[in-house]
mmCIF file with all atom_site columns, all heavy atoms in Angstrom:
data_model
loop_
_atom_site.group_PDB
_atom_site.id
_atom_site.type_symbol
_atom_site.label_atom_id
_atom_site.label_alt_id
_atom_site.label_comp_id
_atom_site.label_asym_id
_atom_site.label_entity_id
_atom_site.label_seq_id
_atom_site.pdbx_PDB_ins_code
_atom_site.Cartn_x
_atom_site.Cartn_y
_atom_site.Cartn_z
_atom_site.occupancy
_atom_site.B_iso_or_equiv
_atom_site.pdbx_formal_charge
_atom_site.auth_seq_id
_atom_site.auth_comp_id
_atom_site.auth_asym_id
_atom_site.auth_atom_id
_atom_site.pdbx_PDB_model_num
ATOM 1   N N   . LEU O 1 4   ? 114.508 84.533  114.658 1.00 0.00 ? 129 LEU O N   1
ATOM 2   C CA  . LEU O 1 4   ? 114.631 84.343  113.210 1.00 0.00 ? 129 LEU O CA  1
ATOM 3   C C   . LEU O 1 4   ? 116.102 84.393  112.794 1.00 0.00 ? 129 LEU O C   1
ATOM 4   O O   . LEU O 1 4   ? 116.853 85.245  113.263 1.00 0.00 ? 129 LEU O O   1
ATOM 5   C CB  . LEU O 1 4   ? 113.897 85.457  112.472 1.00 0.00 ? 129 LEU O CB  1
ATOM 6   C CG  . LEU O 1 4   ? 112.414 85.282  112.185 1.00 0.00 ? 129 LEU O CG  1
ATOM 7   C CD1 . LEU O 1 4   ? 111.875 86.550  111.560 1.00 0.00 ? 129 LEU O CD1 1
ATOM 8   C CD2 . LEU O 1 4   ? 112.167 84.118  111.247 1.00 0.00 ? 129 LEU O CD2 1
ATOM 9   N N   . THR O 1 12  ? 111.513 82.320  103.983 1.00 0.00 ? 137 THR O N   1
ATOM 10  C CA  . THR O 1 12  ? 110.113 82.763  104.107 1.00 0.00 ? 137 THR O CA  1
ATOM 11  C C   . THR O 1 12  ? 109.740 83.714  102.974 1.00 0.00 ? 137 THR O C   1
ATOM 12  O O   . THR O 1 12  ? 108.671 83.582  102.362 1.00 0.00 ? 137 THR O O   1
ATOM 13  C CB  . THR O 1 12  ? 109.903 83.467  105.470 1.00 0.00 ? 137 THR O CB  1
ATOM 14  O OG1 . THR O 1 12  ? 110.478 82.673  106.484 1.00 0.00 ? 137 THR O OG1 1
ATOM 15  C CG2 . THR O 1 12  ? 108.442 83.702  105.762 1.00 0.00 ? 137 THR O CG2 1
ATOM 16  N N   . GLY O 1 23  ? 94.214  80.041  91.735  1.00 0.00 ? 148 GLY O N   1
ATOM 17  C CA  . GLY O 1 23  ? 93.356  80.943  92.526  1.00 0.00 ? 148 GLY O CA  1
ATOM 18  C C   . GLY O 1 23  ? 93.885  82.367  92.491  1.00 0.00 ? 148 GLY O C   1
ATOM 19  O O   . GLY O 1 23  ? 93.113  83.333  92.360  1.00 0.00 ? 148 GLY O O   1
ATOM 20  N N   . TRP O 1 25  ? 95.697  83.733  90.094  1.00 0.00 ? 150 TRP O N   1
ATOM 21  C CA  . TRP O 1 25  ? 95.458  84.321  88.769  1.00 0.00 ? 150 TRP O CA  1
ATOM 22  C C   . TRP O 1 25  ? 93.990  84.666  88.569  1.00 0.00 ? 150 TRP O C   1
ATOM 23  O O   . TRP O 1 25  ? 93.670  85.636  87.868  1.00 0.00 ? 150 TRP O O   1
ATOM 24  C CB  . TRP O 1 25  ? 95.948  83.376  87.664  1.00 0.00 ? 150 TRP O CB  1
ATOM 25  C CG  . TRP O 1 25  ? 97.453  83.323  87.612  1.00 0.00 ? 150 TRP O CG  1
ATOM 26  C CD1 . TRP O 1 25  ? 98.233  82.227  87.824  1.00 0.00 ? 150 TRP O CD1 1
ATOM 27  C CD2 . TRP O 1 25  ? 98.353  84.417  87.360  1.00 0.00 ? 150 TRP O CD2 1
ATOM 28  N NE1 . TRP O 1 25  ? 99.565  82.565  87.717  1.00 0.00 ? 150 TRP O NE1 1
ATOM 29  C CE2 . TRP O 1 25  ? 99.679  83.907  87.428  1.00 0.00 ? 150 TRP O CE2 1
ATOM 30  C CE3 . TRP O 1 25  ? 98.179  85.770  87.078  1.00 0.00 ? 150 TRP O CE3 1
ATOM 31  C CZ2 . TRP O 1 25  ? 100.801 84.704  87.239  1.00 0.00 ? 150 TRP O CZ2 1
ATOM 32  C CZ3 . TRP O 1 25  ? 99.304  86.566  86.894  1.00 0.00 ? 150 TRP O CZ3 1
ATOM 33  C CH2 . TRP O 1 25  ? 100.593 86.035  86.973  1.00 0.00 ? 150 TRP O CH2 1
ATOM 34  N N   . GLY O 1 51  ? 79.954  115.772 81.643  1.00 0.00 ? 176 GLY O N   1
ATOM 35  C CA  . GLY O 1 51  ? 78.556  115.761 82.092  1.00 0.00 ? 176 GLY O CA  1
ATOM 36  C C   . GLY O 1 51  ? 78.110  114.409 82.629  1.00 0.00 ? 176 GLY O C   1
ATOM 37  O O   . GLY O 1 51  ? 77.132  114.330 83.376  1.00 0.00 ? 176 GLY O O   1
ATOM 38  N N   . ARG O 1 89  ? 115.129 105.455 113.303 1.00 0.00 ? 214 ARG O N   1
ATOM 39  C CA  . ARG O 1 89  ? 115.628 104.121 113.669 1.00 0.00 ? 214 ARG O CA  1
ATOM 40  C C   . ARG O 1 89  ? 114.572 103.297 114.416 1.00 0.00 ? 214 ARG O C   1
ATOM 41  O O   . ARG O 1 89  ? 114.887 102.610 115.392 1.00 0.00 ? 214 ARG O O   1
ATOM 42  C CB  . ARG O 1 89  ? 116.899 104.223 114.523 1.00 0.00 ? 214 ARG O CB  1
ATOM 43  C CG  . ARG O 1 89  ? 118.058 104.895 113.827 1.00 0.00 ? 214 ARG O CG  1
ATOM 44  C CD  . ARG O 1 89  ? 118.673 103.964 112.794 1.00 0.00 ? 214 ARG O CD  1
ATOM 45  N NE  . ARG O 1 89  ? 119.870 104.543 112.170 1.00 0.00 ? 214 ARG O NE  1
ATOM 46  C CZ  . ARG O 1 89  ? 119.902 105.116 110.977 1.00 0.00 ? 214 ARG O CZ  1
ATOM 47  N NH1 . ARG O 1 89  ? 118.813 105.213 110.242 1.00 0.00 ? 214 ARG O NH1 1
ATOM 48  N NH2 . ARG O 1 89  ? 121.015 105.584 110.469 1.00 0.00 ? 214 ARG O NH2 1
ATOM 49  N N   . HIS O 1 118 ? 89.704  114.186 85.665  1.00 0.00 ? 243 HIS O N   1
ATOM 50  C CA  . HIS O 1 118 ? 88.895  115.379 85.924  1.00 0.00 ? 243 HIS O CA  1
ATOM 51  C C   . HIS O 1 118 ? 89.097  116.452 84.857  1.00 0.00 ? 243 HIS O C   1
ATOM 52  O O   . HIS O 1 118 ? 88.240  117.309 84.643  1.00 0.00 ? 243 HIS O O   1
ATOM 53  C CB  . HIS O 1 118 ? 89.288  115.942 87.299  1.00 0.00 ? 243 HIS O CB  1
ATOM 54  C CG  . HIS O 1 118 ? 88.380  117.003 87.786  1.00 0.00 ? 243 HIS O CG  1
ATOM 55  N ND1 . HIS O 1 118 ? 88.810  118.289 88.023  1.00 0.00 ? 243 HIS O ND1 1
ATOM 56  C CD2 . HIS O 1 118 ? 87.063  116.997 88.072  1.00 0.00 ? 243 HIS O CD2 1
ATOM 57  C CE1 . HIS O 1 118 ? 87.784  119.013 88.441  1.00 0.00 ? 243 HIS O CE1 1
ATOM 58  N NE2 . HIS O 1 118 ? 86.714  118.254 88.473  1.00 0.00 ? 243 HIS O NE2 1
ATOM 59  N N   . PHE O 1 147 ? 101.673 124.150 91.623  1.00 0.00 ? 272 PHE O N   1
ATOM 60  C CA  . PHE O 1 147 ? 102.507 123.606 92.716  1.00 0.00 ? 272 PHE O CA  1
ATOM 61  C C   . PHE O 1 147 ? 102.272 122.097 92.788  1.00 0.00 ? 272 PHE O C   1
ATOM 62  O O   . PHE O 1 147 ? 103.185 121.307 92.980  1.00 0.00 ? 272 PHE O O   1
ATOM 63  C CB  . PHE O 1 147 ? 102.110 124.123 94.110  1.00 0.00 ? 272 PHE O CB  1
ATOM 64  C CG  . PHE O 1 147 ? 102.260 125.590 94.376  1.00 0.00 ? 272 PHE O CG  1
ATOM 65  C CD1 . PHE O 1 147 ? 101.739 126.131 95.551  1.00 0.00 ? 272 PHE O CD1 1
ATOM 66  C CD2 . PHE O 1 147 ? 102.928 126.429 93.504  1.00 0.00 ? 272 PHE O CD2 1
ATOM 67  C CE1 . PHE O 1 147 ? 101.866 127.471 95.832  1.00 0.00 ? 272 PHE O CE1 1
ATOM 68  C CE2 . PHE O 1 147 ? 103.052 127.788 93.793  1.00 0.00 ? 272 PHE O CE2 1
ATOM 69  C CZ  . PHE O 1 147 ? 102.509 128.292 94.961  1.00 0.00 ? 272 PHE O CZ  1
ATOM 70  N N   . VAL O 1 150 ? 103.934 119.946 90.154  1.00 0.00 ? 275 VAL O N   1
ATOM 71  C CA  . VAL O 1 150 ? 105.364 119.805 90.440  1.00 0.00 ? 275 VAL O CA  1
ATOM 72  C C   . VAL O 1 150 ? 105.562 118.868 91.637  1.00 0.00 ? 275 VAL O C   1
ATOM 73  O O   . VAL O 1 150 ? 106.407 117.964 91.617  1.00 0.00 ? 275 VAL O O   1
ATOM 74  C CB  . VAL O 1 150 ? 106.007 121.191 90.708  1.00 0.00 ? 275 VAL O CB  1
ATOM 75  C CG1 . VAL O 1 150 ? 107.479 121.056 91.042  1.00 0.00 ? 275 VAL O CG1 1
ATOM 76  C CG2 . VAL O 1 150 ? 105.826 122.104 89.505  1.00 0.00 ? 275 VAL O CG2 1
ATOM 77  N N   . ILE O 1 152 ? 103.491 116.534 93.027  1.00 0.00 ? 277 ILE O N   1
ATOM 78  C CA  . ILE O 1 152 ? 103.075 115.140 92.864  1.00 0.00 ? 277 ILE O CA  1
ATOM 79  C C   . ILE O 1 152 ? 104.031 114.402 91.922  1.00 0.00 ? 277 ILE O C   1
ATOM 80  O O   . ILE O 1 152 ? 104.402 113.265 92.179  1.00 0.00 ? 277 ILE O O   1
ATOM 81  C CB  . ILE O 1 152 ? 101.617 115.045 92.347  1.00 0.00 ? 277 ILE O CB  1
ATOM 82  C CG1 . ILE O 1 152 ? 100.647 115.640 93.376  1.00 0.00 ? 277 ILE O CG1 1
ATOM 83  C CG2 . ILE O 1 152 ? 101.225 113.610 92.004  1.00 0.00 ? 277 ILE O CG2 1
ATOM 84  C CD1 . ILE O 1 152 ? 100.453 114.858 94.646  1.00 0.00 ? 277 ILE O CD1 1
ATOM 85  N N   . PHE O 1 162 ? 113.368 105.622 95.245  1.00 0.00 ? 287 PHE O N   1
ATOM 86  C CA  . PHE O 1 162 ? 113.665 105.173 96.613  1.00 0.00 ? 287 PHE O CA  1
ATOM 87  C C   . PHE O 1 162 ? 113.299 103.687 96.757  1.00 0.00 ? 287 PHE O C   1
ATOM 88  O O   . PHE O 1 162 ? 114.050 102.880 97.301  1.00 0.00 ? 287 PHE O O   1
ATOM 89  C CB  . PHE O 1 162 ? 112.848 106.035 97.587  1.00 0.00 ? 287 PHE O CB  1
ATOM 90  C CG  . PHE O 1 162 ? 113.175 105.844 99.045  1.00 0.00 ? 287 PHE O CG  1
ATOM 91  C CD1 . PHE O 1 162 ? 114.465 105.588 99.466  1.00 0.00 ? 287 PHE O CD1 1
ATOM 92  C CD2 . PHE O 1 162 ? 112.190 105.967 100.012 1.00 0.00 ? 287 PHE O CD2 1
ATOM 93  C CE1 . PHE O 1 162 ? 114.764 105.433 100.819 1.00 0.00 ? 287 PHE O CE1 1
ATOM 94  C CE2 . PHE O 1 162 ? 112.476 105.815 101.362 1.00 0.00 ? 287 PHE O CE2 1
ATOM 95  C CZ  . PHE O 1 162 ? 113.770 105.541 101.759 1.00 0.00 ? 287 PHE O CZ  1
ATOM 96  N N   . ALA O 1 172 ? 119.520 90.895  94.333  1.00 0.00 ? 297 ALA O N   1
ATOM 97  C CA  . ALA O 1 172 ? 120.707 90.030  94.296  1.00 0.00 ? 297 ALA O CA  1
ATOM 98  C C   . ALA O 1 172 ? 120.430 88.716  95.029  1.00 0.00 ? 297 ALA O C   1
ATOM 99  O O   . ALA O 1 172 ? 120.884 87.647  94.580  1.00 0.00 ? 297 ALA O O   1
ATOM 100 C CB  . ALA O 1 172 ? 121.888 90.757  94.921  1.00 0.00 ? 297 ALA O CB  1
ATOM 101 N N   . LYS O 1 184 ? 118.160 85.508  85.137  1.00 0.00 ? 309 LYS O N   1
ATOM 102 C CA  . LYS O 1 184 ? 118.579 86.543  84.187  1.00 0.00 ? 309 LYS O CA  1
ATOM 103 C C   . LYS O 1 184 ? 117.892 87.886  84.521  1.00 0.00 ? 309 LYS O C   1
ATOM 104 O O   . LYS O 1 184 ? 118.523 88.936  84.546  1.00 0.00 ? 309 LYS O O   1
ATOM 105 C CB  . LYS O 1 184 ? 118.216 86.126  82.754  1.00 0.00 ? 309 LYS O CB  1
ATOM 106 C CG  . LYS O 1 184 ? 119.268 85.217  82.152  1.00 0.00 ? 309 LYS O CG  1
ATOM 107 C CD  . LYS O 1 184 ? 118.966 84.971  80.697  1.00 0.00 ? 309 LYS O CD  1
ATOM 108 C CE  . LYS O 1 184 ? 119.938 83.905  80.174  1.00 0.00 ? 309 LYS O CE  1
ATOM 109 N NZ  . LYS O 1 184 ? 119.456 83.258  78.986  1.00 0.00 ? 309 LYS O NZ  1
ATOM 110 N N   . MET O 1 191 ? 121.968 94.494  88.900  1.00 0.00 ? 316 MET O N   1
ATOM 111 C CA  . MET O 1 191 ? 123.053 95.264  88.275  1.00 0.00 ? 316 MET O CA  1
ATOM 112 C C   . MET O 1 191 ? 124.443 94.849  88.747  1.00 0.00 ? 316 MET O C   1
ATOM 113 O O   . MET O 1 191 ? 125.353 95.685  88.819  1.00 0.00 ? 316 MET O O   1
ATOM 114 C CB  . MET O 1 191 ? 122.843 96.768  88.527  1.00 0.00 ? 316 MET O CB  1
ATOM 115 C CG  . MET O 1 191 ? 121.585 97.320  87.901  1.00 0.00 ? 316 MET O CG  1
ATOM 116 S SD  . MET O 1 191 ? 121.462 99.120  88.021  1.00 0.00 ? 316 MET O SD  1
ATOM 117 C CE  . MET O 1 191 ? 120.959 99.338  89.702  1.00 0.00 ? 316 MET O CE  1
ATOM 118 N N   . LEU O 1 217 ? 109.965 116.046 101.780 1.00 0.00 ? 342 LEU O N   1
ATOM 119 C CA  . LEU O 1 217 ? 109.136 116.017 100.565 1.00 0.00 ? 342 LEU O CA  1
ATOM 120 C C   . LEU O 1 217 ? 107.701 115.613 100.905 1.00 0.00 ? 342 LEU O C   1
ATOM 121 O O   . LEU O 1 217 ? 106.744 116.237 100.456 1.00 0.00 ? 342 LEU O O   1
ATOM 122 C CB  . LEU O 1 217 ? 109.743 115.050 99.538  1.00 0.00 ? 342 LEU O CB  1
ATOM 123 C CG  . LEU O 1 217 ? 108.926 114.845 98.276  1.00 0.00 ? 342 LEU O CG  1
ATOM 124 C CD1 . LEU O 1 217 ? 108.857 116.131 97.454  1.00 0.00 ? 342 LEU O CD1 1
ATOM 125 C CD2 . LEU O 1 217 ? 109.501 113.727 97.415  1.00 0.00 ? 342 LEU O CD2 1
ATOM 126 N N   . GLU O 1 281 ? 100.724 96.208  116.188 1.00 0.00 ? 406 GLU O N   1
ATOM 127 C CA  . GLU O 1 281 ? 100.364 96.967  117.391 1.00 0.00 ? 406 GLU O CA  1
ATOM 128 C C   . GLU O 1 281 ? 101.019 98.354  117.351 1.00 0.00 ? 406 GLU O C   1
ATOM 129 O O   . GLU O 1 281 ? 100.387 99.358  117.714 1.00 0.00 ? 406 GLU O O   1
ATOM 130 C CB  . GLU O 1 281 ? 100.833 96.193  118.631 1.00 0.00 ? 406 GLU O CB  1
ATOM 131 C CG  . GLU O 1 281 ? 100.191 96.674  119.903 1.00 0.00 ? 406 GLU O CG  1
ATOM 132 C CD  . GLU O 1 281 ? 100.762 95.997  121.144 1.00 0.00 ? 406 GLU O CD  1
ATOM 133 O OE1 . GLU O 1 281 ? 101.520 95.016  121.014 1.00 0.00 ? 406 GLU O OE1 1
ATOM 134 O OE2 . GLU O 1 281 ? 100.451 96.463  122.248 1.00 0.00 ? 406 GLU O OE2 1
ATOM 135 N N   . GLY O 1 299 ? 88.279  119.907 116.004 1.00 0.00 ? 424 GLY O N   1
ATOM 136 C CA  . GLY O 1 299 ? 87.861  120.802 117.090 1.00 0.00 ? 424 GLY O CA  1
ATOM 137 C C   . GLY O 1 299 ? 88.347  122.225 116.848 1.00 0.00 ? 424 GLY O C   1
ATOM 138 O O   . GLY O 1 299 ? 87.590  123.185 117.033 1.00 0.00 ? 424 GLY O O   1
ATOM 139 N N   . ILE O 1 304 ? 87.752  127.931 115.785 1.00 0.00 ? 429 ILE O N   1
ATOM 140 C CA  . ILE O 1 304 ? 88.177  129.134 115.059 1.00 0.00 ? 429 ILE O CA  1
ATOM 141 C C   . ILE O 1 304 ? 86.990  129.752 114.301 1.00 0.00 ? 429 ILE O C   1
ATOM 142 O O   . ILE O 1 304 ? 86.858  130.971 114.228 1.00 0.00 ? 429 ILE O O   1
ATOM 143 C CB  . ILE O 1 304 ? 89.367  128.835 114.120 1.00 0.00 ? 429 ILE O CB  1
ATOM 144 C CG1 . ILE O 1 304 ? 90.609  128.458 114.935 1.00 0.00 ? 429 ILE O CG1 1
ATOM 145 C CG2 . ILE O 1 304 ? 89.687  130.011 113.191 1.00 0.00 ? 429 ILE O CG2 1
ATOM 146 C CD1 . ILE O 1 304 ? 91.185  129.549 115.819 1.00 0.00 ? 429 ILE O CD1 1
ATOM 147 N N   . TRP O 1 306 ? 83.936  129.758 115.256 1.00 0.00 ? 431 TRP O N   1
ATOM 148 C CA  . TRP O 1 306 ? 83.158  130.487 116.263 1.00 0.00 ? 431 TRP O CA  1
ATOM 149 C C   . TRP O 1 306 ? 83.910  131.734 116.722 1.00 0.00 ? 431 TRP O C   1
ATOM 150 O O   . TRP O 1 306 ? 83.368  132.829 116.762 1.00 0.00 ? 431 TRP O O   1
ATOM 151 C CB  . TRP O 1 306 ? 82.873  129.560 117.465 1.00 0.00 ? 431 TRP O CB  1
ATOM 152 C CG  . TRP O 1 306 ? 82.375  130.292 118.667 1.00 0.00 ? 431 TRP O CG  1
ATOM 153 C CD1 . TRP O 1 306 ? 81.126  130.812 118.859 1.00 0.00 ? 431 TRP O CD1 1
ATOM 154 C CD2 . TRP O 1 306 ? 83.129  130.620 119.845 1.00 0.00 ? 431 TRP O CD2 1
ATOM 155 N NE1 . TRP O 1 306 ? 81.051  131.447 120.067 1.00 0.00 ? 431 TRP O NE1 1
ATOM 156 C CE2 . TRP O 1 306 ? 82.270  131.346 120.702 1.00 0.00 ? 431 TRP O CE2 1
ATOM 157 C CE3 . TRP O 1 306 ? 84.437  130.382 120.250 1.00 0.00 ? 431 TRP O CE3 1
ATOM 158 C CZ2 . TRP O 1 306 ? 82.684  131.821 121.945 1.00 0.00 ? 431 TRP O CZ2 1
ATOM 159 C CZ3 . TRP O 1 306 ? 84.846  130.851 121.488 1.00 0.00 ? 431 TRP O CZ3 1
ATOM 160 C CH2 . TRP O 1 306 ? 83.978  131.571 122.324 1.00 0.00 ? 431 TRP O CH2 1
ATOM 161 N N   . LEU O 1 344 ? 93.353  102.020 122.270 1.00 0.00 ? 469 LEU O N   1
ATOM 162 C CA  . LEU O 1 344 ? 93.949  102.272 123.587 1.00 0.00 ? 469 LEU O CA  1
ATOM 163 C C   . LEU O 1 344 ? 93.977  100.995 124.413 1.00 0.00 ? 469 LEU O C   1
ATOM 164 O O   . LEU O 1 344 ? 94.770  100.859 125.340 1.00 0.00 ? 469 LEU O O   1
ATOM 165 C CB  . LEU O 1 344 ? 93.163  103.357 124.333 1.00 0.00 ? 469 LEU O CB  1
ATOM 166 C CG  . LEU O 1 344 ? 93.368  104.799 123.835 1.00 0.00 ? 469 LEU O CG  1
ATOM 167 C CD1 . LEU O 1 344 ? 92.351  105.730 124.467 1.00 0.00 ? 469 LEU O CD1 1
ATOM 168 C CD2 . LEU O 1 344 ? 94.781  105.273 124.140 1.00 0.00 ? 469 LEU O CD2 1
ATOM 169 N N   . SER O 1 359 ? 90.677  99.409  110.845 1.00 0.00 ? 484 SER O N   1
ATOM 170 C CA  . SER O 1 359 ? 91.393  100.056 109.739 1.00 0.00 ? 484 SER O CA  1
ATOM 171 C C   . SER O 1 359 ? 90.443  100.391 108.584 1.00 0.00 ? 484 SER O C   1
ATOM 172 O O   . SER O 1 359 ? 90.577  101.431 107.941 1.00 0.00 ? 484 SER O O   1
ATOM 173 C CB  . SER O 1 359 ? 92.543  99.172  109.254 1.00 0.00 ? 484 SER O CB  1
ATOM 174 O OG  . SER O 1 359 ? 92.075  98.103  108.473 1.00 0.00 ? 484 SER O OG  1
ATOM 175 N N   . HIS O 1 380 ? 78.095  125.314 99.784  1.00 0.00 ? 505 HIS O N   1
ATOM 176 C CA  . HIS O 1 380 ? 77.405  126.194 100.727 1.00 0.00 ? 505 HIS O CA  1
ATOM 177 C C   . HIS O 1 380 ? 78.336  127.342 101.097 1.00 0.00 ? 505 HIS O C   1
ATOM 178 O O   . HIS O 1 380 ? 78.766  127.461 102.233 1.00 0.00 ? 505 HIS O O   1
ATOM 179 C CB  . HIS O 1 380 ? 77.054  125.358 101.976 1.00 0.00 ? 505 HIS O CB  1
ATOM 180 C CG  . HIS O 1 380 ? 75.951  125.914 102.807 1.00 0.00 ? 505 HIS O CG  1
ATOM 181 N ND1 . HIS O 1 380 ? 74.625  125.714 102.518 1.00 0.00 ? 505 HIS O ND1 1
ATOM 182 C CD2 . HIS O 1 380 ? 75.969  126.660 103.937 1.00 0.00 ? 505 HIS O CD2 1
ATOM 183 C CE1 . HIS O 1 380 ? 73.880  126.301 103.437 1.00 0.00 ? 505 HIS O CE1 1
ATOM 184 N NE2 . HIS O 1 380 ? 74.681  126.881 104.320 1.00 0.00 ? 505 HIS O NE2 1
ATOM 185 N N   . LEU O 1 383 ? 76.937  133.042 98.901  1.00 0.00 ? 508 LEU O N   1
ATOM 186 C CA  . LEU O 1 383 ? 75.623  133.510 98.465  1.00 0.00 ? 508 LEU O CA  1
ATOM 187 C C   . LEU O 1 383 ? 74.582  132.396 98.517  1.00 0.00 ? 508 LEU O C   1
ATOM 188 O O   . LEU O 1 383 ? 74.726  131.374 97.850  1.00 0.00 ? 508 LEU O O   1
ATOM 189 C CB  . LEU O 1 383 ? 75.714  134.030 97.021  1.00 0.00 ? 508 LEU O CB  1
ATOM 190 C CG  . LEU O 1 383 ? 76.659  135.211 96.820  1.00 0.00 ? 508 LEU O CG  1
ATOM 191 C CD1 . LEU O 1 383 ? 76.831  135.496 95.327  1.00 0.00 ? 508 LEU O CD1 1
ATOM 192 C CD2 . LEU O 1 383 ? 76.132  136.439 97.536  1.00 0.00 ? 508 LEU O CD2 1
ATOM 193 N N   . GLY O 1 402 ? 86.926  101.068 89.974  1.00 0.00 ? 527 GLY O N   1
ATOM 194 C CA  . GLY O 1 402 ? 88.012  100.668 89.071  1.00 0.00 ? 527 GLY O CA  1
ATOM 195 C C   . GLY O 1 402 ? 89.376  101.070 89.606  1.00 0.00 ? 527 GLY O C   1
ATOM 196 O O   . GLY O 1 402 ? 90.353  100.324 89.493  1.00 0.00 ? 527 GLY O O   1
ATOM 197 N N   . LEU O 1 406 ? 92.479  98.748  90.428  1.00 0.00 ? 531 LEU O N   1
ATOM 198 C CA  . LEU O 1 406 ? 93.814  98.958  89.866  1.00 0.00 ? 531 LEU O CA  1
ATOM 199 C C   . LEU O 1 406 ? 94.874  98.893  90.969  1.00 0.00 ? 531 LEU O C   1
ATOM 200 O O   . LEU O 1 406 ? 95.922  98.269  90.804  1.00 0.00 ? 531 LEU O O   1
ATOM 201 C CB  . LEU O 1 406 ? 93.865  100.316 89.144  1.00 0.00 ? 531 LEU O CB  1
ATOM 202 C CG  . LEU O 1 406 ? 95.218  100.732 88.560  1.00 0.00 ? 531 LEU O CG  1
ATOM 203 C CD1 . LEU O 1 406 ? 95.718  99.727  87.537  1.00 0.00 ? 531 LEU O CD1 1
ATOM 204 C CD2 . LEU O 1 406 ? 95.135  102.122 87.915  1.00 0.00 ? 531 LEU O CD2 1
ATOM 205 N N   . PHE O 1 408 ? 94.702  97.346  93.946  1.00 0.00 ? 533 PHE O N   1
ATOM 206 C CA  . PHE O 1 408 ? 94.895  95.983  94.471  1.00 0.00 ? 533 PHE O CA  1
ATOM 207 C C   . PHE O 1 408 ? 95.476  95.051  93.395  1.00 0.00 ? 533 PHE O C   1
ATOM 208 O O   . PHE O 1 408 ? 96.228  94.137  93.711  1.00 0.00 ? 533 PHE O O   1
ATOM 209 C CB  . PHE O 1 408 ? 93.572  95.433  95.036  1.00 0.00 ? 533 PHE O CB  1
ATOM 210 C CG  . PHE O 1 408 ? 93.178  96.118  96.326  1.00 0.00 ? 533 PHE O CG  1
ATOM 211 C CD1 . PHE O 1 408 ? 92.071  96.942  96.388  1.00 0.00 ? 533 PHE O CD1 1
ATOM 212 C CD2 . PHE O 1 408 ? 93.940  95.959  97.474  1.00 0.00 ? 533 PHE O CD2 1
ATOM 213 C CE1 . PHE O 1 408 ? 91.731  97.592  97.567  1.00 0.00 ? 533 PHE O CE1 1
ATOM 214 C CE2 . PHE O 1 408 ? 93.613  96.607  98.659  1.00 0.00 ? 533 PHE O CE2 1
ATOM 215 C CZ  . PHE O 1 408 ? 92.508  97.421  98.705  1.00 0.00 ? 533 PHE O CZ  1
#
Side-chain angles (χ1 to χ4, degrees):
Chain O
L129 273 175
T137 313
W150 288 118
R214 298 285 185 259
H243 190 242
F272 296 171
V275 178
I277 297 290
F287 188 35
K309 276 187 187 159
M316 297 188 282
L342 176 66
E406 196 186 350
I429 294 295
W431 166 75
L469 286 169
S484 76
H505 201 83
L508 299 171
L531 177 59
F533 289 112

